[in-house]
Structure formats: C-alpha cells, structure tokens
Amino acid sequence: MKIAAIEVIEAVVPFDDGGSGIGITPGRWDSLEFVLVRVETDTGLIGWGECFAYSCRAAVATAARTMVAPLLEGRELPATPEPLNLELQKRLHIFGRYGIAMFAISGFDIALWDIAAQAQGKPLHALLGPQVRNEVSAYASLVRYGDPALVKKYCSDAKALGYRFVKLHEIEPAVMRAAREACGPEIGISVDVNCAWSPDVARERIPVLQEIDAMWIEEPVFPPEDIFNQAAINREFPVGAGENACTRYEFARMIDAGAVRFAQPSVIKVGGITEFVGVCAYAAAKGVAVMPHTPYFGPGYFATLHLLAGLRGEPLFEHLYIRPAADIALGGTPLPVQGTVPIPSSPGVGFAPDPAVLARFRLNA
C-alpha cells in the first residue's frame, strides 16, 4: 500500500465563548484555525490528520506542504507509522526539533495511523493496546474571562450540563475564588495560567490554589521549559504541564526533574500519535499521570479520545467550552453528555470533514 495523494487544507471556523477573546493568545482569539492533512492511498483509503495551527496556521500549512509532504509522496506504508515518523524527525531536525516542524509532522502521523487502523478494519485504539474504557469523563475548559461574574456564570452553566470538572484559565485570585463559589465543593477545578506568572508569583499563589482546592496548577511559570522552577513549585503543589513540549524526550526531561505530576501531551503538537504513545509509556514507567491537552475540534479531538481508551488511571478529556459556528466533523463530533464522552468505535480515527462545512470555511480551494 502506497501513498497516492496528499492534500493540506486550511480552514477557519469562528466561535463564541461569551468573553472578550483577549488574554490567552497573542491577539483576539475568536476562531478555530485548522490545518488538516488528507492522505490517500493507492488502495483508496483516506486518512485525516490535524496539525496545531492556532495563531500560526499559514506557517504550519507551508511546513506541511513544503517540508513534510515531499518526503512522503509515493512512499510504501509500513503496518504502523512509527518508522516514517522517526525518519521525518531525522530528516527535518535541522529546521528545529520543536514548534512548526513538529506540528506539521504531528498531522501526518495522525493521518497515517488513521490509514493503518482502517487497513485492519479496527478503531485506532485497538492498534494501541487494550481498551480499558468505552467513555471518558470530560472537563469544561473555560477561556480566560478575567471577570468574576462571567466566571460564575459559565461555571454554573457547565455544572448544570453535568460536568464534574472545570478548568479555569484565570490568573487573578478573586476570579478563582468566584469559580469555586459557583461550582460548590463537589466540582473538581484545575487552573491553567499559560505561563503568566514568575516563579515568585507562582509561589505566592499556592495558598489561593489550596484555598479553592485546585486539582493542579498548569504551566505556572514562564518560560515553560524552566523545569527547575517548575519542579520547585511541583514539590509544594501539583503541577500539570506539557502542551508546549514536543517529543517524548522533552517530556522525559520534565518527568525526570520532578517537574510534573500530570504530563499533558498534545497529540497535534507533540509529534502525533507515535510520540504521544511514547510519552505515555515513559510517564507510566515513572508513575506520572497523563492528562492530555486537547482544546481542538478536528482529527486531534478524535485521536485523543482513542488514546484515552487505553490510558490507565483516571484521565480526563479536555473539552474547550466554546460555541463554534459549525461542526467540521461529518456526522458530528462526539460531545460531552452529562460530563462524559464516548470513545469512537468505527475503523480508523473516525473523523472525516463535513463537505458542506469545509466548503464554507476553507481558505485554500
């Protein structure tokens, strides 16, 4: 079985979150940027992948088209994509091991795993190991509102929808306390500050995190690779991190330094399914929990659900609490109902784009 055609597709889908859209990304964040990878084989199978593209869509799409695709065109496919992933990493390492190049590799890796699973007539998770769950608990990942009243509203809304866990992206104590007030004592809360604090401020905030009974503090300091200070904070309060890390090797450094209790690989950033699996294996060997990062709505969303099917412990699925203008997935994205999401069971990853939605929001025809 060989690769017969490759297409890289860009799309932008607006969303509403009830907030200002300011605070997390460099500019106003009010749309989902997609770089989708379509790989077709000479046997007619079509695999879909997704590259991380928020605020970097054009650069990632260019990398996918001009750096990765030429290395794969016409290639014979192995039973599973690990050898090709390793080859891509070796051939492209001079352009940077982390960031844009790895985002592009991630998308192709997901598409190739999709093909591998379809070729065997099995859902992706069946190729990765034993399935330990058919559904997974989700948490409502709220955007940064910076407003106690808005945080109370959306925490209350999430609770009413059956979510048992909520993640805040707030940096001010008053807003965090408002969230706990709205959630009550029974809802689990985690806090992601997206590297907004200095080490000193992070330490000063630990009493507030304890007061609201937070499950973990995510990416507490800048820069995210400052594992020395992150480890110091982790000794005092549980730290989750890894959405900005690529490959199992960067996670190994973090884990070996004692810098995380919750490793958070992102399948469309870390190097795809291949590297995600490597991270999980290393974390399991070291007794570190995996709590995936996945505020996405394309193949990365579906792939993460498959990866969660076999994860030991009590992992949670991150569901970005927004309202997209349309669902890009043909047949619909499996959304949380009463706080749980079903694991897809159809062959492959289970994603294909809705042609009408893609035609509406696609940028490169």
Side-chain angles (χ1 to χ4, degrees), residues 197-217:
W197 294 337
S198 69
D200 288 342
V201 171
R203 291 185 185 92
E204 291 172 1
R205 294 287 190 265
I206 288 175
V208 178
L209 298 169
Q210 293 170 331
E211 176 189 336
I212 68 166
D213 194 24
M215 300 165 64
W216 71 79
I217 178 65

Side-chain angles (χ1 to χ4, degrees), residues 4-348:
I6 293 173
E7 187 177 11
V8 177
I9 300 167
E10 298 172 63
V12 178
V13 178
F15 69 76
D16 177 57
D17 57 27
S20 67
I22 304 298
I24 297 178
T25 58
R28 178 176 172 78
W29 190 32
D30 56 6
S31 61
L32 299 169
E33 295 181 89
F34 292 92
V35 172
L36 301 176
V37 173
R38 181 186 185 275
V39 179
E40 185 172 358
T41 71
D42 59 356
T43 62
L45 295 179
I46 297 172
W48 288 94
E50 179 181 4
C51 315
F52 180 80
Y54 294 167
S55 298
C56 57
R57 173 188 45 77
V60 173
T62 298
R65 291 191 185 102
T66 65
M67 295 168 65
V68 183
L71 299 179
L72 291 175
E73 290 169 347
R75 295 292 297 272
E76 186 78 32
L77 292 177
T80 53
E82 297 97 334
L84 285 178
N85 185 298
L86 179 59
E87 179 186 331
L88 290 172
Q89 290 192 45
K90 286 182 174 180
R91 296 185 69 176
L92 296 175
H93 81 276
I94 196 171
F95 306 112
R97 289 281 290 145
Y98 310 120
I100 301 299
M102 196 57 70
F103 301 167
I105 290 173
S106 297
F108 281 91
D109 186 77
I110 295 168
L112 295 180
W113 274 102
D114 188 14
I115 290 171
Q118 290 181 56
Q120 295 190 35
K122 297 178 180 179
L124 171 63
H125 60 75
L127 272 63
L128 303 178
Q131 183 175 2
V132 299
R133 61 181 59 81
N134 296 314
E135 61 182 16
V136 62
S137 294
Y139 62 84
S141 188
L142 308 185
V143 301
R144 183 174 300 167
Y145 297 104
D147 181 319
L150 283 177
V151 166
K152 281 186 175 182
K153 169 181 166 46
Y154 289 106
C155 282
S156 297
D157 288 353
K159 183 178 177 180
L161 288 172
Y163 284 97
R164 299 181 297 280
F165 304 94
V166 168
K167 182 161 83 175
L168 310 176
H169 285 83
E170 305 297 338
I171 57 176
E172 296 300 332
V175 188
M176 298 178 200
R177 292 184 177 110
R180 174 50 76 195
E181 182 181 343
C183 286
E186 67 275 17
I187 302 298
I189 293 178
S190 57
V191 180
D192 182 357
V193 299
N194 293 106
C195 305
W197 294 337
S198 69
D200 288 342
V201 171
R203 291 185 185 92
E204 291 172 1
R205 294 287 190 265
I206 288 175
V208 178
L209 298 169
Q210 293 170 331
E211 176 189 336
I212 68 166
D213 194 24
M215 300 165 64
W216 71 79
I217 178 65
E218 192 166 325
E219 292 205 313
V221 299
F222 182 84
E225 63 270 26
D226 181 4
I227 58 176
F228 174 80
N229 278 301
Q230 191 171 292
I233 294 164
N234 192 47
R235 287 192 290 269
E236 298 183 50
F237 194 85
V239 167
E243 69 175 85
N244 286 305
C246 295
T247 79
R248 68 194 73 188
Y249 301 101
E250 203 166 10
F251 274 90
R253 287 176 54 249
M254 197 185 308
I255 290 169
D256 289 347
V260 287
R261 292 189 220 178
F262 298 96
Q264 297 181 296
S266 173
V267 72
I268 67 175
K269 281 183 165 184
V270 73
I273 291 162
T274 298
E275 286 298 326
F276 193 109
V277 169
V279 171
C280 291
Y282 195 85
K286 298 291 184 176
V288 171
V290 174
M291 200 68 71
H293 175 261
T294 180
Y296 315 121
F297 289 90
Y301 184 108
F302 286 71
T304 302
L305 287 171
H306 283 280
L307 288 157
L308 283 163
L311 269 183
R312 300 292 173 175
E314 298 180 7
L316 301 174
F317 179 75
E318 179 175 19
H319 184 261
L320 187 60
Y321 197 72
I322 61 171
R323 296 176 295 278
D327 189 340
I328 199 169
L330 183 64
T333 298
L335 299 175
V337 176
Q338 290 298 307
T340 61
V341 188
I343 306 295
S345 57
S346 58

Side-chain angles (χ1 to χ4, degrees), residues 340-363:
T340 61
V341 188
I343 306 295
S345 57
S346 58
V349 169
F351 172 90
D354 184 308
V357 174
L358 193 58
R360 178 182 171 193
F361 295 105
R362 182 171 178 167
L363 298 183

